[in-house]
Amino acid sequence: MGAYSYVTLLYIGIVCSIPLVCFAEDPYAFYNFEVSYITASPLGVPQQVIAINGKFPGPTINVTTNNNVVVNVRNKLDEHLLMHWSGIQQRRSSWEDGVLGTNCPIPSKWNWTYNFQVKDQIGSFFYFPSLNMQRASGGYGSFIINNRAVIPIPFDTPYGDITIAIGDWYIRNHTALRKALDDGKDLGMPDGVLINGKGPYRYNDTLVPDGIDYETITVHPGKTYRLRVSNVGVSTSLNFRIQSHNLLLAETEGSYTVQQNYTSLDIHVGQTFSFLLTTDQNASSDYYIVASARFVNESRWQRVTGVGILKYTNSKGKASGPLPNPPQDQFDKTFSMNQARSIRWNVSASGARPNPQGSFKYGSINVTEVYVLRNFPPEKVNGKRRTTLSGVSFVNPKTPIRLADKYKLKGVYKLDFPSRPLTGPPRLETSVINGTYRGFMEIILQNNDTKVHTYHLSGYAFFVVGMDYGVWTENSRGTYNKWDGIARATAQVYPGAWTALLVSLDNVGVWNLRTENLDAWYLGQETYVHVVNPEPNNKTELPMPDNALFCGDLSKMQKPQDISSAITIESNGSVVLTLFLLVSSLLYIA
């Protein structure tokens, strides 16, 4: 019996043994994460890496629409920790989002249990530690939400499901990178690109040293596999390709796409794409899997290339020769943007519900509020090197915003984030967007930096309706795609360009809006969207969880952690939960 089945039965047995708690509801999936440092050498040099259960990358969370997910996180780092479930919408409960503006961090040597439902979602995502550049040292893993059996997927069931994490990587760990930023320095060129936590295959004896462990993905000939590829890196856009194979794009971050073949696709920091890969080649040799840096000097960045191996079970030899070429668009700055524009929503496919994805006619909804957000390269703010959105460099409050609301604390934050970029010198503020519940917000991202930025909004899937070079104006709305723009949780903005988003503010809570580029995020390029239902005694938000942590102005309310009476339940070493936390979680959701 598999671990998931065992735990489901275990859940039923425990719940049904407790009076008044046995009832039919959506299934539960339990995970135990022990987050710790290990020593690893992904680029051939020993370094400190953040592992989960001793593994880097961490385990894949694999659940089904509407499952309740319980993740017990034990923090064995020497600093605070929060786990963020990027793209998981946390419907009605920003308490579980795992970012500093909404949650108190888990102290070192403590454990804390996340408890949330993947309500009305499908698709491919990833999780990661959200504090203090920690993702630059690892701690990430894939997050899959499968369709319920009664909802068809818009393609034949694949023979296998493969997760691939790609990302730029530094030999310096996150604390050293953080210190460089605090000292006013750039991070500089990364030392390499990892594929599933491993360095490059030695395709070139000069560029790649001997003895590096590389990723090998073994496939059977004549089959179709689903590849879920996430860019979990620090700040580098990557082009993903597999030698001699087409990538049939099928889904991205919870939306099925119009299926189109690509020989390669640009995947920007924080983004996840799902491809169908048909193993239709002759297997005369293995094939290269490549993730290479984009929008850089390719000769200088040649060594910053991730290379893995796609190995057929009947392969006749090792991969050799040059890597497949990246896009030849050095003098065509619109190539990547046109590729991004070609990604369309499959309006006739069902998503998490049986009705077609396109039944929500976003293009016919009246916009109620408009925010133009403009970034710049790092600049001095009050003598410190910082990044900004619309002239505001965000300062995380000591007391999380949602907790301050709950206990009616004054002065923790301001609901005054500007709808248009400020004029004058930039400023340090805990300034938050005041979103209107059930409003329809237009967000314009204007990139005045010299590199691509990816932006993420927690709590929602937004519609990417337009992007172009130059400065956005009111007339730019005439170019919007109001029919099948992709709905997702991240969107890239090219240098000297803009991207337009539309989002329906139907999820009450406090939701992080940030750049996914870790250096710029760390230096202040973020804010929050505050969405409150003004109706008295409203039921649109779940209550604060019983195990909520307290910090900042409310730190005196935090009781010392008592784990002495914990009862441990284990299944194949992959699930460890305390009975106390389990029962309290179930009662809370009930």
Side-chain angles (χ1 to χ4, degrees):
M1 182 181 293
Y4 180 84
S5 300
Y6 179 91
V7 173
T8 303
L9 291 175
L10 181 64
Y11 154 70
I12 293 171
I14 292 174
V15 172
C16 291
S17 68
I18 303 171
L20 304 179
V21 187
C22 185
F23 50 88
E25 59 178 291
D26 293 311
Y28 279 70
F30 299 112
Y31 293 85
N32 181 71
F33 281 11
E34 183 177 277
V35 185
S36 65
Y37 296 120
I38 63 170
T39 298
S41 306
L43 294 177
V45 179
Q47 65 178 116
Q48 185 187 74
V49 167
I50 296 176
I52 298 178
N53 302 337
K55 303 292 184 183
F56 166 65
T60 295
I61 292 179
N62 195 333
V63 294
T64 299
T65 301
N66 294 341
N67 279 181
N68 297 288
V69 182
V70 182
V71 187
N72 186 44
V73 176
R74 179 175 294 278
N75 178 13
K76 298 191 77 172
L77 305 181
D78 57 1
E79 57 186 15
H80 288 352
L81 173 72
L82 278 172
M83 296 303 296
H84 175 60
W85 323 97
S86 190
I88 307 305
Q89 293 176 14
Q90 306 292 357
R91 304 297 299 180
R92 304 171 61 205
S93 185
S94 56
W95 300 106
E96 308 287 340
D97 198 36
V99 286
L100 201 55
T102 49
N103 301 113
C104 291
I106 307 167
S108 177
K109 313 309 177 192
W110 282 44
N111 69 282
W112 196 78
T113 301
Y114 291 88
N115 191 333
F116 55 89
Q117 186 177 28
V118 288
K119 180 68 174 173
D120 291 335
Q121 280 194 268
I122 55 95
S124 310
F125 310 92
F126 70 99
Y127 63 84
F128 65 90
S130 65
L131 296 187
N132 294 323
M133 299 279 293
Q134 287 169 351
R135 190 174 85 203
S137 286
Y140 50 73
S142 296
F143 198 126
I144 297 171
I145 309 176
N146 302 289
N147 284 56
R148 291 175 290 156
V150 295
I151 309 295
I153 57 176
F155 43 82
D156 293 336
T157 302
Y159 181 77
D161 203 306
I162 298 168
T163 58
I164 301 177
I166 60 177
D168 59 350
W169 186 260
Y170 292 83
I171 292 173
R172 293 171 290 164
N173 70 4
H174 67 283
T175 56
L177 297 177
R178 203 163 65 207
K179 185 178 186 305
L181 294 175
D182 289 340
D183 291 343
K185 301 173 184 175
D186 283 322
L187 296 184
M189 189 169 69
D191 298 296
V193 169
L194 304 189
I195 298 179
N196 284 345
K198 297 178 181 180
Y201 171 79
R202 200 177 193 200
Y203 71 97
N204 182 303
D205 294 349
T206 302
L207 295 171
V208 183
D210 195 12
I212 290 180
D213 188 22
Y214 56 88
E215 177 70 349
T216 299
I217 295 173
T218 302
V219 293
H220 294 275
K223 304 295 184 182
T224 297
Y225 293 81
R226 185 170 181 175
L227 270 57
R228 305 173 192 260
V229 186
S230 301
N231 185 337
V232 298
V234 175
S235 64
T236 305
S237 297
L238 298 173
N239 181 263
F240 181 78
R241 55 198 184 275
I242 299 179
Q243 185 180 25
S244 301
H245 290 73
N246 283 322
L247 299 169
L248 182 62
L249 182 63
E251 177 261 334
T252 180
E253 297 164 10
S255 287
Y256 290 118
T257 67
V258 174
Q259 292 172 27
Q260 300 178 78
N261 271 312
Y262 296 88
T263 55
S264 71
L265 191 73
D266 290 343
I267 303 180
H268 305 278
V269 180
Q271 293 188 328
T272 300
F273 288 93
S274 183
F275 305 100
L276 299 177
L277 175 77
T278 300
T279 52
D280 54 5
Q281 299 302 299
N282 61 20
S284 58
S285 68
D286 298 340
Y287 297 94
Y288 293 125
I289 302 170
V290 183
S292 61
R294 290 287 274 138
F295 319 113
V296 296
N297 182 322
E298 288 182 13
S299 60
R300 182 167 173 258
W301 282 63
Q302 209 173 357
R303 64 177 176 81
V304 185
T305 301
V307 184
I309 294 296
L310 183 74
K311 184 179 188 64
Y312 282 48
T313 54
N314 63 338
S315 174
K316 297 179 178 64
K318 293 184 176 181
S320 61
L323 300 179
N325 289 325
Q328 303 298 303
D329 62 344
Q330 182 178 357
F331 303 105
D332 180 7
K333 67 178 185 178
T334 63
F335 175 88
S336 183
M337 183 181 287
N338 286 337
Q339 187 184 64
R341 287 169 172 159
S342 72
I343 299 169
R344 298 301 180 97
W345 209 26
N346 186 339
V347 296
S348 62
S350 296
R353 291 172 175 263
N355 49 300
Q357 289 183 147
S359 59
F360 183 76
K361 309 293 185 184
Y362 72 87
S364 61
I365 301 173
N366 291 328
V367 169
T368 58
E369 46 208 315
V370 180
Y371 279 81
V372 178
L373 307 179
R374 185 175 64 196
N375 72 340
F376 282 99
E379 54 190 315
K380 286 290 181 72
V381 184
N382 293 2
K384 289 283 190 178
R385 190 169 182 267
R386 300 283 296 179
T387 55
T388 59
L389 269 182
S390 293
V392 178
S393 187
F394 190 80
V395 178
N396 274 294
K398 293 180 180 179
T399 308
I401 296 165
R402 193 63 199 89
L403 208 57
D405 287 346
K406 172 72 176 177
Y407 290 92
K408 298 181 171 54
L409 299 182
K410 304 296 184 184
V412 172
Y413 65 93
K414 298 177 182 178
L415 275 175
D416 64 351
F417 196 90
S419 60
R420 294 293 189 278
L422 296 173
T423 57
R427 64 193 194 200
L428 293 166
E429 294 278 3
T430 307
S431 180
V432 174
I433 292 174
N434 188 8
T436 303
Y437 177 57
R438 291 182 177 166
F440 198 59
M441 182 180 287
E442 181 180 23
I443 300 173
I444 311 301
L445 302 165
Q446 184 80 51
N447 186 359
N448 285 53
D449 204 344
T450 56
K451 63 181 181 180
V452 178
H453 278 266
T454 313
Y455 287 88
H456 171 91
L457 176 61
S458 290
Y460 296 96
F462 49 64
F463 296 94
V464 184
V465 295
M467 59 178 67
D468 204 351
Y469 285 95
V471 177
W472 181 88
T473 68
E474 304 282 337
N475 293 332
S476 302
R477 293 192 178 105
T479 68
Y480 285 5
N481 176 358
K482 294 191 174 183
W483 166 243
D484 60 355
I486 194 69
R488 61 185 310 171
T490 64
Q492 73 270 30
V493 195
Y494 294 92
W498 57 267
T499 295
L501 316 174
L502 295 175
V503 57
S504 177
L505 300 181
D506 61 350
N507 193 15
V508 168
V510 179
W511 305 108
N512 190 221
L513 173 59
R514 64 175 183 271
T515 176
E516 281 284 2
N517 301 47
L518 293 187
D519 48 352
W521 181 10
Y522 177 74
L523 292 175
Q525 200 175 116
E526 65 175 322
T527 185
Y528 286 79
V529 180
H530 189 274
V531 182
V532 173
N533 185 349
E535 300 169 5
N537 303 317
N538 73 80
K539 301 293 184 181
T540 50
E541 187 177 19
L542 295 173
M544 183 179 76
D546 292 338
N547 66 339
L549 295 172
F550 294 93
C551 56
D553 294 337
L554 299 172
S555 57
K556 291 182 179 179
M557 296 179 63
Q558 181 62 52
K559 297 178 181 178
Q561 189 176 49
D562 180 13
I563 59 172
S564 59
S565 60
I567 300 175
T568 300
I569 303 167
E570 299 193 22
S571 170
N572 296 336
S574 64
V575 181
V576 182
L577 291 170
T578 67
L579 182 59
F580 171 78
L581 289 171
L582 173 62
V583 174
S584 64
S585 298
L586 297 175
L587 290 172
Y588 158 61
I589 288 185

